[in-house]
Amino acid sequence: PGADFNWNGAMHTEGNLIVSNSADNQLTGFLVSSTKSCFFTKRNSEITVREFGEETLADGTVRPAFQGQYINGQIKDNNPPKQVRFHIWAPGRADQNSASTNFKTDTDSVVNGAGPAAYALDPVILQTSDFSVGRTIANPAENRDEFWDDDASLEGKERMRQETSDTTPYVDDFFRADNRYGPKPRYNDALTIPAGLTIGAEIGSVTDLVLDTAPAGGTCEQVGLDGYWERRAACEGMRIVVGQRLELGDPIGWGGPTRNSVTNTFVADAEPLRPWNQCPGNSTGRCNEARQRRSLWDNLAAVQGAVVYHSARPGTGDELEEPIACFSSTVHPGTGATLANSSTFENLVYGVTDAAGVPAFAPRTDGRVYGQTIPVISDFLRGKGTNGWEFEAPTAPIFGNANWLAALNNLATFAGDPNGGAPSFEPVQDNNVHPFPSMAMWGDFSMLRRVMGLMNTVGYAGLSPADKTTLHSAACTVGMLAYNVDYLENLTSMQ
């Protein structure tokens, strides 16, 4: 870590725990809380690493043996740093957190010699097989320090130990209920991506993976494992899905804040929204860091919506899968002023009249009156009133409406790469980056583009829960922008 870093309580890794200090700062691992807390138990403060024996899994794959280790070192330069401190379990002490011990290269669980990078997990094997294997030392048990089994070690002091349970507890794949395999290669020891298929391939009718509702006589805990928590929340809880942010151009002019000192014109290559082909001269050696700073540009001309779902909503059929609310979530944290402006709401047409003194926006055909009964409070082009206001939620029928489909197709074609969308869809490996940067600079709507194409094949009803939310969140964003633009067009026509 950079600044002093304090950790309280338990921690677990399926690999190794590699910890260090920087030159001037300290990492300290405290116990979970005060001795007087109801949470103060040894279990709630344990730091564990996994240990596997070699095993043949249900699909015939052999999982290699692996014993995770506690290592004092730094991955970034493969060197041992200064020691860190861990507080220990000391029964009988009035204040448990006053007992601590040093953790350094002489007291960690491996023999000195190989740097920490040798023990770090092989990322390719981890990603493709979900197995823990060291990059150089395949099984760190080969370099286990005998000291670690003594009472003097942190293991002996009952703060750190090996976790040797037979099976890995199921943790969601941290992705969506999209009815497609991945991004992890396996869901448990019996359910993996079948041979011949890849990440993004359709799952089909594997009930244990794609069940959306509680089975007969069962509970919502038994829904499918693909995007488990999304299915679980749809069955008995609430979901909030934030859509992609659509950039609407640079409000201070293309080229950003940089001008040519001779011609006093904007420098197009300095535009924060525009992908670059080379690293700027003042960032030599730190190009990736410079790219990240550029990607965090808080562009005021942007629109982004979120949709809210609740399992207790009334209705039948498609209604049960529709959001109950659509609200603007276009936050602008660039400065304190932009942050405040994005959540400050005002009637932006109050007092605006035409030449005859009639309030701007005469009654529409639906009887609503702009500037009177319906205030316009969101200006996505200037970043005012863009975060937290509720709009009408999209419903299933609009995805059969020609005008809505045209608007969504336009958005998908403008800012969606037809070969993007991984890992929700099968990745395309060619000579281009996907999503293509010159399209994704406006927001990555590759998923929307792939879903729109899929809907042409299976229809709206045949989409997965995640794919439907992609449509809902995009429609929420498009609807909010249309409302804003409609106000501006009407305002112009009244002037």
Side-chain angles (χ1 to χ4, degrees), residues 130 209 281 331 414:
D130 197 28
L209 295 181
V331 186
F414 170 66

Side-chain angles (χ1 to χ4, degrees), residues 20 68 176 181 234 243 284 339 405 482:
S20 66
R176 306 296 308 280
Y181 284 108
T284 302
L339 182 61
L405 291 178

Side-chain angles (χ1 to χ4, degrees), residues 191-202:
L191 292 168
T192 63
I193 298 178
L197 297 181
T198 63
I199 288 173
E202 293 287 340

